């Protein structure tokens, strides 16, 4: 169909009913049917003006479609159901009496810019929007539930936390003991649990939620997805990611300056990215200084036709310098392991990596010595690791963290449980927690963005012919 006829067709298109499948969210009333409802205290707030039909309150029938891009040339609407999620936001009726709420907040896993903003906004939101007065911080990750006393939190205490990197509550890996955690939740009398963490944390949160249901406790659990690597699926992107990309760019700029300022200079930057190359990819695309971007989602090799060394040889001849950016999880298969060297795991069970940056640095030097002995050459290796995540969130991420925190509060107050809040197509949605805990988000090397990267760098595709 040509463009004009599609235009004509769209001008008068009637869409027949779309086949939508709404992702059901667990609610406390699923297993505690007698719970009383309360009017949302925002109804009496001086700051929020709302009437019944101004759209301020979100109803259970307000949904967000997962897929918003369609092919109108005959495939829409299809018989395959379109997934939909509940829209986040305040509900007119809530399932908690704010005076009875005892909220617990915990941060788990690695750091990410914006953690303190989420904590701050959970505290301020619970306190100011709903009038909750019992809010507790759990120290140092999951183990804090059973191994230390909680920290009472209030808006005064947290007022400037968004200006600090890291997490004031502290975090840790490992220490997940389901029975001890749920026992502690029960004994301490928490009835709202806010768990901020990545895929591992969310898998633990699903178990906590299941155990709470099993014990029929009046406790709602929500997850707030945190990952500097942006490797959690379904949501548009994770908080802190943009900030990390900005920081990564500083390292790339420095590598570029160093490389440009030496004959045959190579700038080599290693960035975070355990299983995904999102930070590396976005930092490369936004810097425009990178000659080759290496990520875990695609293999690469050094020697021979179409390899990295041949490519660098050409770039150095053409430009006199080159910049390589590599994600920490890339190239793990090509680094030789010494003897019985095993891949170690951290306390959470995540595989440790061989150092791709240090290995490339040494291989590049060996290559030059072998093939270009006597010619000037330098590699400047920059490994900013923790510098890209141990910073405060930028303005965009701060705003994002605030909306996430408030959305999580509204959802829990409405009696939803076992859910995660996150943006889908730019709108905040409530998503079943077990779905997010298992959804990955690799870089798609078949899509337009990766093709764009390849066109910007003109790097090899590393497909051996
Ligand atoms: N499959 C799992 N089941 C229960 N708890 C888990 C699981 N995976 C990780 N955890 C716990 O979640 C916390 C954070 O996990 P980790 O993988 O370190 O970070 P992240 O949540 O950022 O992925 C740790 O306390 C860890 O013990
Ligand atoms: O903090 P650690 O244990 O040194 O871990 C570093 C890892 O943490 C990350 O920043 C993020 O990992 P998580 O999302 O699992 O917390 C990875 O990019 C990196 O490999
Ligand atoms: Mg993880």
């Amino acid at each position: 169909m040509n463009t004009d006829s599609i235009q004509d067709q769209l001008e008068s298109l009637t869409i027949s009913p779309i086949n939508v499948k709404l992702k059901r969210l667990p609610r406390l009333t699923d297993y505690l049917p007698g719970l009383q409802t309360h009017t949302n205290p925002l109804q009496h707030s001086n700051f929020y003006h709302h009437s019944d039909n101004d759209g301020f309150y979100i109803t259970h029938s307000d949904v967000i479609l997962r897929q918003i891009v369609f092919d109108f040339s005959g495939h829409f609407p299809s018989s395959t159901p379109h997934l939909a999620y509940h829209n986040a936001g305040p509900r007119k009726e809530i399932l908690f009496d704010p005076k009875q709420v005892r909220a617990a907040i915990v941060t788990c896993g690695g750091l990410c810019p914006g953690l303190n903003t989420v904590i701050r906004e959970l505290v301020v939101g619970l306190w100011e929007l709903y009038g909750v007065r019992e809010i507790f911080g759990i120290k140092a990750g999951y183990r804090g539930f059973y191994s230390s006393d909680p920290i009472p939190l209030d808006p005064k205490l947290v007022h400037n936390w968004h200006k600090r990197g890291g997490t004031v509550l502290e975090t840790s890996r490992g220490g997940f003991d389901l029975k001890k955690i749920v026992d502690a939740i029960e004994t301490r009398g928490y009835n709202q649990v806010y768990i901020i963490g990545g895929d591992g944390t969310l898998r633990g949160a699903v178990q906590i939620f299941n155990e709470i249901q099993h014990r029929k406790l009046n406790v709602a659990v929500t997850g707030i997805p945190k990952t500097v690597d942006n490797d959690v699926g379904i949501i548009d992107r994770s908080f802190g990611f943009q900030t990390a990309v900005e920081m990564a760019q500083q390292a790339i700029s420095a590598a570029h300056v160093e490389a440009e300022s030496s004959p045959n200079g190579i700038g080599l930057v290693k960035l975070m990215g355990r299983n995904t190359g999102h930070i590396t990819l976005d930092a490369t695309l936004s810097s425009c200084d990178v000659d080759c971007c290496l990520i875990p989602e695609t293999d690469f090799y050094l020697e021979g036709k179409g390899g990295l060394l041949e490519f660098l040889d050409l770039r150095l001849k053409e430009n006199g310098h080159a910049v390589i950016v590599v994600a920490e999880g890339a190239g793990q298969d090509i680094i030789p392991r010494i003897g019985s060297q095993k891949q170690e795991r951290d306390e959470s069970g995540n595989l440790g990596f061989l150092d791709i940056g240090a290995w490339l640095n040494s291989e590049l030097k060996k290559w030059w010595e072998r093939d270009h002995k006597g010619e000037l050459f330098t590699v400047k290796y920059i490994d900013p690791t923790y510098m890209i995540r141990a910073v405060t969130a930028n303005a965009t991420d701060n705003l994002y963290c605030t909306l996430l925190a408030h959305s999580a509060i509204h959802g829990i107050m409405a009696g939803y449980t076992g859910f995660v809040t996150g943006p889908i197509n730019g709108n905040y949605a409530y998503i079943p927690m077990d779905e997010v805990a298992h959804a990955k988000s690799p870089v798609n090397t078949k899509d337009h963005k990766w093709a764009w990267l390849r066109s910007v760098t003109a790097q090899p595709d590393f497909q051996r012919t």
Side-chain angles (χ1 to χ4, degrees), residues 109-110 173 226 228-229 272-274 328 386 389:
R173 299 195 188 272
K226 165 249 48 151
V228 74
D229 294 351
M272 280 193 170
R274 207 194 273 286
E328 62 182 337
Y386 299 107
R389 66 174 207 191

Side-chain angles (χ1 to χ4, degrees), residues 98-283:
K99 289 196 276 316
Q100 306 295 324
V101 170
R102 272 173 78 80
I105 303 169
V106 66
T107 51
C108 310
L111 292 186
C112 180
L115 278 168
N116 281 324
T117 312
V118 176
I119 302 166
R120 178 195 193 275
E121 293 304 327
L122 284 173
V123 174
V124 174
L126 280 162
W127 192 284
E128 304 288 351
L129 299 174
Y130 285 91
V132 173
R133 293 294 177 266
E134 293 196 88
I135 310 168
F136 299 90
I138 307 300
K139 276 193 78 161
Y142 275 135
R143 67 189 74 238
F145 274 106
Y146 56 84
S147 64
S148 47
D149 286 332
I151 308 164
L153 302 172
D154 61 51
K156 254 202 175 126
L157 182 71
V158 302
H159 83 279
N160 63 354
W161 284 16
H162 61 299
K163 296 181 183 161
R164 298 166 65 174
T167 160
V168 180
L169 296 181
E170 300 178 342
T171 184
S172 69
R173 299 195 188 272
F176 184 83
D177 185 321
L178 181 62
K179 184 174 178 316
K180 285 188 183 171
I181 292 169
V182 181
D183 284 352
I185 290 172
E186 230 183 317
T187 323
R188 299 264 184 198
Y190 303 131
N191 50 14
Q192 296 190 354
V193 181
Y194 296 86
I195 300 174
I196 310 164
D199 56 342
T201 305
L202 294 176
R203 283 195 276 276
V206 170
Q207 292 184 37
I208 294 173
F209 162 61
N210 288 338
E211 179 61 19
I212 282 172
Q213 279 191 108
H214 178 70
R215 296 191 195 183
K216 291 200 181 333
L217 304 179
N218 184 9
V219 179
V221 184
T222 189
I224 299 178
K226 165 249 48 151
T227 148
V228 74
D229 294 351
N230 198 25
D231 59 1
V232 169
I234 306 176
I235 61 172
D236 295 346
R237 75 182 151 76
S238 47
F239 73 80
F241 172 69
Q242 275 203 342
T243 306
V245 169
E246 265 173 42
M247 294 302 293
Q249 275 206 61
Q250 293 183 18
I252 294 175
S253 281
H256 186 236
V257 168
E258 291 286 346
E260 250 189 343
S261 308
S262 305
N264 297 316
I266 289 189
L268 172 63
V269 180
K270 183 182 79 173
L271 294 173
M272 280 193 170
R274 207 194 273 286
N275 304 307
T276 61
H278 290 292
I279 297 176
T280 309
L281 173 57
D282 279 29

Side-chain angles (χ1 to χ4, degrees), residues 326-379:
V326 61
E328 62 182 337
Q332 292 299 304
D333 293 340
I334 60 169
I335 309 174
R337 276 161 212 277
I338 307 151
S340 59
Q341 192 181 22
K342 282 199 286 232
Q343 247 183 316
E344 289 180 356
R345 288 182 185 268
D346 68 14
E347 274 201 90
S348 295
N350 298 305
L351 276 177
F353 288 115
L354 298 174
D355 190 337
I356 184 68
W359 181 75
L360 270 179
N361 185 11
S362 123
E363 291 302 303
L364 291 173
K365 286 174 180 158
K366 279 193 236 164
W367 159 61
W368 199 265
E369 183 64 19
R370 186 189 70 202
D371 291 6
H372 300 273
K373 201 172 170 52
E375 290 177 57
L376 279 176
F377 175 70
T378 184
V379 188

Side-chain angles (χ1 to χ4, degrees), residues 390-427:
V391 292
T392 51
N394 67 14
T396 309
D397 275 327
N398 258 326
L399 198 58
Y400 176 6
C401 291
T402 304
L403 292 171
L404 266 184
H406 290 191
S407 298
I409 295 171
H410 293 314
I412 247 186
M413 281 291 179
Y416 290 124
T417 179
F419 72 99
V420 150
T421 303
I424 296 182
N425 300 317
N427 296 289

